[in-house]
Amino acid sequence: MQATDSAGHGTQSTTEATRPAADGATTGAAAGDQFDFMVVSNRLPVDRCSSDETGCEDGWRRSPGGLVTALAPMMTKTDGAWVGWHGAPDETVKPFSHGGIDLIPVQLSTEDIELFYEGFSNATLWPLYHDVIAPPEFHRTWWDSYRKVNRRFADAVIRHAAEGATVWVQDYQLQLVPKLLREARPDLKIGFFNHIPFPPPEIFAQLPWRRAIIDGLLGADLVGFQRSSDAGNFMRSARRFLGASVKQQQVHVRGADGETTHIARAQAFPISIDVKQISELAKKPEVIERAQQIRRDLGNPKTILLGVDRLDYTKGIRHRLKAYEELLQDAKVTVEDATLIQVASPSRERVEQYRLLREEVEGTVGHINGTFDTMESTAVRYLHHSYPIEEMVSLYLAADVMLVTALRDGMNLVAKEYVTARTNNDGALVLSEFAGAADQLKQALLMNPHDIDGLKDTIMRAVNMQPAEASRRMRAMRKQILDHDVDLWSSDFLKALAEKVVRDDS
Ligand code: G6P
């Protein structure tokens, strides 16, 4: 961090004003502080909470989702700042430090949350980018709010970025930020990473503001994706909707005067996890003991199956429950022998599709348990909570079979966490081929979750897998992840961003 005087760009920050740094946090960046490295994402790694909520410590808890899981470890080791929303509506919070990271909060009003976050981000883009599993809604008021809020995030960066700084913008909520930064601060190195899939042009075509989104992303020097198919989809859309001339996944981007401002590149960088943290936790006696206690508390079933997801319609929880219910009906599994633990962490609860999903999932769980439970044993132990990472690792250790049945998922870090936690090389991973993780975890039991019979067969293969086969598969998957942890992901991206690119147009 470079401490500077008021020569910083822009005017007074919305983050400076009223609220002192919250409990449990130390005062961080001041108004004029500038940084050589900045990450910007919709969410900060911590969320405001009240002390009666699970996982809440000193007014803050870890934010949900894979983005934070992946970026937080890198940021604790970096001398940079993280710009993002702190999770509470209408609350102005001063810059502060938490867990060793300098955080610069951006305020969202109740209206911004409704239109920008719940609306355009999570009821337009999210379903559109996930194979239209739910129908996306298109509203001009949501789009106006998306533009306005993207401008606010860009302004916060512009104020705090040192001359020539590297800025790494994250995810679908902020796709206009790269271009806004480029226009105001051509001195910056701008990277963007999309944590979720990028849809094929045939689906992206539905978006009324498709040109502005592509244009916004092309403001970056490097646009990173989870899979090479996502990078290909993006470049095909750039060609189709902006008439860009794409060569080797690169585009010459021109300014208003027609002059080339920079070359934008698209490339895949599959994200990963903090392998060291999970491996160390998995060896802690208290974490191992807790895993054994979980099994005892469930009545010592022979097999524990586990699902861990944000309660999101992309995760295929309904398909998983359907397959499991049929296995119980067919007496392929019994409640005496097996229990399915389903952790469904609360998510986007005011968005209609998420409300409907919760009703449906909870109705189905109630129906399954009502039909199959006995006084002693339960079919599905359903937990609508989020848990600290220690408890998650205990669950991974307790689970003989992990079920990741996403209908579409950018990566799915839960799959990678499970494999990393299995330090004894046992356990079986059932993994959807529609999760980005399937590209790396090729020794998982891969399946198509839409095919319920196929899913049932795959679950049974996992339940009955011989130790030698389980060990062979788990070893190979663990090697892949141990060799590709999240530090490598971020350093690969930042190295590629720093490279000087010349495009041969001959
Ligand atoms: C996914 C997205 C993230 C998002 C997270 C949690 O991982 O890629 O950008 O932050 O879900 O969702 P939420 O809407 O609670 O931020």
Side-chain angles (χ1 to χ4, degrees), residues 269-496:
F269 297 89
I271 205 165
S272 192
I273 55 162
D274 187 345
V275 169
K276 190 162 167 270
Q277 183 200 29
I278 304 283
S279 312
E280 283 177 5
L281 283 173
K283 287 185 195 136
K284 278 196 165 177
E286 58 272 31
V287 173
I288 297 171
E289 167 50 30
R290 171 76 188 131
Q292 289 160 355
Q293 189 197 340
I294 290 170
R295 187 175 285 272
R296 284 197 297 274
D297 289 351
L298 290 171
N300 273 321
K302 218 166 94 208
T303 309
I304 293 178
L305 302 99
L306 175 67
V308 173
D309 311 86
R310 272 186 314 101
L311 190 42
D312 193 298
Y313 50 81
T314 58
K315 304 289 183 184
I317 302 171
R318 286 177 292 205
H319 296 62
R320 190 181 308 163
L321 291 174
K322 174 96 192 128
Y324 199 66
E325 180 175 14
E326 289 190 15
L327 288 173
L328 286 160
Q329 273 160 1
D330 304 345
K332 291 270 174 48
V333 291
T334 64
V335 289
E336 287 76 26
D337 278 351
T339 301
L340 168 60
I341 304 176
Q342 176 63 56
V343 176
S345 48
S347 187
R348 306 175 191 165
E349 295 196 286
R350 285 157 29 123
V351 178
E352 177 71 3
Q353 292 290 340
Y354 289 77
R355 266 206 292 257
L356 294 173
L357 175 73
R358 182 170 176 193
E359 274 173 26
E360 218 179 307
V361 164
E362 295 188 351
T364 307
V365 170
H367 178 76
I368 296 175
N369 285 344
T371 310
F372 296 100
D373 278 9
T374 62
M375 285 298 171
E376 297 77 29
S377 312
T378 190
V380 183
R381 176 57 52 87
Y382 171 79
L383 304 148
H384 185 243
H385 301 293
S386 42
Y387 291 100
I389 187 68
E390 291 78 9
E391 180 73 356
M392 293 314 306
V393 174
S394 294
L395 279 166
Y396 295 144
L397 288 180
D400 306 287
V401 174
M402 181 82 211
L403 300 176
V404 176
T405 59
L407 305 178
R408 176 58 75 194
D409 208 334
M411 177 53 65
N412 198 293
L413 294 180
V414 163
K416 294 193 172 180
E417 288 182 347
Y418 176 71
V419 168
T420 307
R422 304 301 300 191
T423 49
N424 292 337
N425 293 308
D426 52 5
L429 172 65
V430 172
L431 177 60
S432 164
E433 60 195 55
F434 301 112
D439 276 8
Q440 288 104 54
L441 303 179
K442 294 193 179 5
Q443 296 79 11
L445 294 180
L446 296 175
M447 51 79 209
N448 167 8
H450 296 281
D451 170 8
I452 299 295
D453 285 337
L455 176 54
K456 285 165 65 182
D457 289 347
T458 314
I459 293 175
M460 290 318 296
R461 267 185 74 195
V463 168
N464 296 320
M465 192 182 282
Q466 292 305 306
E469 181 184 354
S471 165
R472 183 176 47 75
R473 288 176 182 272
M474 196 54 82
R475 263 175 218 283
M477 291 193 285
R478 286 177 53 72
K479 174 159 180 23
Q480 206 290 336
I481 299 179
L482 267 49
D483 290 348
H484 296 90
D485 77 350
V486 74
D487 285 343
L488 188 68
W489 168 77
S490 54
S491 63
D492 277 356
F493 183 95
L494 293 171
K495 229 183 280 159

Side-chain angles (χ1 to χ4, degrees), residues 53 98 134 149 229 235 270 292 317 331 414 488:
E53 295 173 80
H98 194 280
V149 173
S229 54
M235 279 304 185
Q292 289 160 355
I317 302 171
V414 163
L488 188 68

